[in-house]
Amino acid sequence: MSLPSPVHPMPSVLRALVLPLVGELPPPVLALLRDYRLLVNEILREALTSGKTARGSLSRFARDRAFVHQLTGGHAVAAAAIGLGLAKAHRRRLRKHLDSRVPFVRLPFLRTGTDTFHLDRDSGKVRLSLRYGEWSHFFLHLAPFHRDRLAAPDTRVKQLHVTPDRVVLYLERPAPTPYIPTRLLALDTNESTLDGVALSRKSTHAVRVPFPEVRTIQATHVARRRKLARKKATDRRVGRRLLDREGRRERNRVRSRLHVLTRHLIHEAVRNRAALALEDFSKLARRRRGPFSRRFGTIRPGPPGSPRRVLRRRLSSWPRGELHRQLTYKAAEHGVPIYWVNPFRTSTICPKCGVYAGPRSRVGPKFVCANPSCGWSLDRQLNAGANLGRIVLRDHGRAELGGLRLDLDALSEEAMRPRYPFEQIERARAERREREGSNRPPGATRGVG
Ligand SMILES: [Zn+2]
């Protein structure tokens, strides 16, 4: 059997750790951050005015300016890479006729490679090279979680990013080779559920992972932002700041819920040696372009407050990108193979006979096959998941997922009660319920002995 070949292979896994400082940064380090910001801005201006795009052509300039600021060559190289990156992104935006202001770094910062700093993994002490022969140090607060990450085998500290109030450490470790899957979990991503099929050699199950909290959080925040905007309508500056804060809170809350979900899902995949099949939304975006194109086709704006507007807002704030981003990097970290499927027509094709059921608008909550002699029908979202599974088996089945098959008849019987794929969690919950039940005072329990 050949090794699985996920579409997005990752040779190494990068992880960022955001670490709080113990106390404040010493004054020489703060001075370094200010000088570094200046250097990056100078390099950025040089790159934009001279039109230089190659790292080599700018490094000479970077070194000269670093010498003036009395920074080391190591800092100059890192600053040149950052300046070039910012200039490149700006040019790309201009090329695509997107809004772009000339970039300028406002806040002092430092990003540097391993040749200019040293982290002591026990004490959290960071020694940092300021200038030639001149060092300073500060301490980071390392929580048990951070220590675990740092102690993981083959982990290398790759980069350090310092701002006056926090430090980000970039870790790199070789990605584990994806395991050979014995099961497949094909999941269609919907607004508040992941739906699809779990396939093993022996069985086909319908599965559903609900995450209704995300939609609730978003609805709460929309209402809150409305209220704020009304209250602060006459003070744009304060209003803006409060609204930004609301947005940040909402994003953090949604993100944290998704982290819980994706962590469970990946652990469950590892435990069952399952591969994941997900929709590759980038393929869809390339096919249909324009401000109104979303997965549900073109939704025109409509008047404010109209159901269409509401639907549009809900879909554009739908965090499917974040969900897939988390699944992608967590899968790479744990060696879970992911198959990315082009979602074209996965929700409108019959998995049994392959007949196209027409544009999506005509498909209700239940998918019904357009072919009268076929008679297939299934919950629309589960049907899309079944199609993802079918496509993966068609393209990779023989070589990589040997022996797995999609039993559609079992699926249509099962679909009445889609399962939660986290058996372990379900079991733990049941056990807890039982334990709590047995701890009740006598009389409340039934059938003791
Ligand atoms: Zn059919």
Side-chain angles (χ1 to χ4, degrees), residues 359-432:
R360 188 172 178 122
S361 53
R362 272 189 254 146
V363 179
K366 197 164 195 184
F367 174 90
V368 181
C369 182
N371 174 2
S373 66
C374 167
W376 173 256
S377 76
L378 187 68
D379 174 278
R380 177 170 55 88
Q381 295 170 337
L382 293 175
N383 193 64
N387 269 318
L388 294 181
R390 180 181 58 82
I391 292 168
V392 169
L393 289 189
R394 184 192 70 197
D395 296 349
H396 306 273
R398 195 158 290 220
E400 294 159 14
L401 298 159
L404 293 189
R405 65 191 201 93
L406 178 63
D407 183 357
L408 286 169
D409 293 326
L411 184 64
S412 69
E413 283 164 29
E414 271 272 332
M416 308 310 286
R417 290 174 287 108
R419 291 185 190 181
Y420 202 57
F422 312 143
E423 294 159 35
Q424 211 167 29
I425 296 164
E426 283 292 84
R427 211 165 31 236
R429 268 188 199 155
E431 275 167 16
R432 198 174 58 226

Side-chain angles (χ1 to χ4, degrees), residues 236-278:
R236 283 182 62 108
R237 191 179 55 87
V238 173
R240 187 74 263 157
R241 213 177 58 216
L242 292 176
L243 286 174
D244 282 351
R245 195 176 65 185
E246 271 304 305
R248 217 162 36 238
R249 277 184 184 161
E250 177 183 349
R251 270 195 302 282
N252 288 343
R253 291 181 69 195
V254 168
R255 241 174 210 222
S256 126
R257 297 304 151 98
L258 293 180
H259 271 301
V260 173
L261 175 85
T262 52
R263 190 176 67 228
H264 285 331
L265 202 53
I266 292 295
H267 280 180
E268 200 60 18
V270 170
R271 209 173 59 83
N272 287 306
R273 298 252 130 192
L276 293 177
L278 300 167

Side-chain angles (χ1 to χ4, degrees), residues 87-157:
K88 197 172 157 191
H90 174 61
R91 286 200 199 98
R92 193 188 308 129
R93 285 193 297 268
L94 290 183
R95 227 182 12 253
K96 290 185 171 176
H97 304 288
L98 299 170
D99 269 350
S100 185
R101 259 186 274 172
V102 176
F104 180 75
V105 183
R106 269 160 224 288
L107 297 174
F109 82 107
L110 171 78
R111 184 173 288 192
T112 186
T114 41
D115 50 345
T116 49
F117 77 94
H118 176 259
L119 167 74
D120 184 63
R121 296 182 188 203
D122 296 320
S123 62
K125 178 178 173 179
V126 177
R127 266 185 95 230
L128 183 64
S129 158
L130 300 177
R131 320 179 191 279
Y132 290 106
E134 209 182 309
W135 293 72
S136 183
H137 70 269
F138 53 87
F139 286 90
L140 299 172
H141 182 79
L142 294 178
F145 170 78
H146 302 134
R147 288 180 198 279
D148 269 7
R149 289 280 159 193
L150 283 165
D154 298 325
T155 299
R156 282 198 318 127
V157 176

Side-chain angles (χ1 to χ4, degrees), residues 136-205:
S136 183
H137 70 269
F138 53 87
F139 286 90
L140 299 172
H141 182 79
L142 294 178
F145 170 78
H146 302 134
R147 288 180 198 279
D148 269 7
R149 289 280 159 193
L150 283 165
D154 298 325
T155 299
R156 282 198 318 127
V157 176
K158 199 152 188 262
Q159 246 183 358
L160 180 76
H161 185 101
V162 190
T163 63
D165 57 355
R166 65 178 189 175
V167 170
V168 185
L169 212 53
Y170 293 92
L171 307 182
E172 187 185 45
R173 97 189 151 83
T177 315
Y179 51 73
I180 295 165
T182 57
R183 287 170 188 229
L184 178 69
L185 202 52
L187 295 170
D188 177 54
T189 311
N190 293 296
E191 211 186 337
S192 49
T193 48
L194 289 163
D195 314 80
V197 289
L199 309 178
S200 71
R201 254 159 238 247
K202 292 188 190 123
S203 64
T204 299
H205 291 301

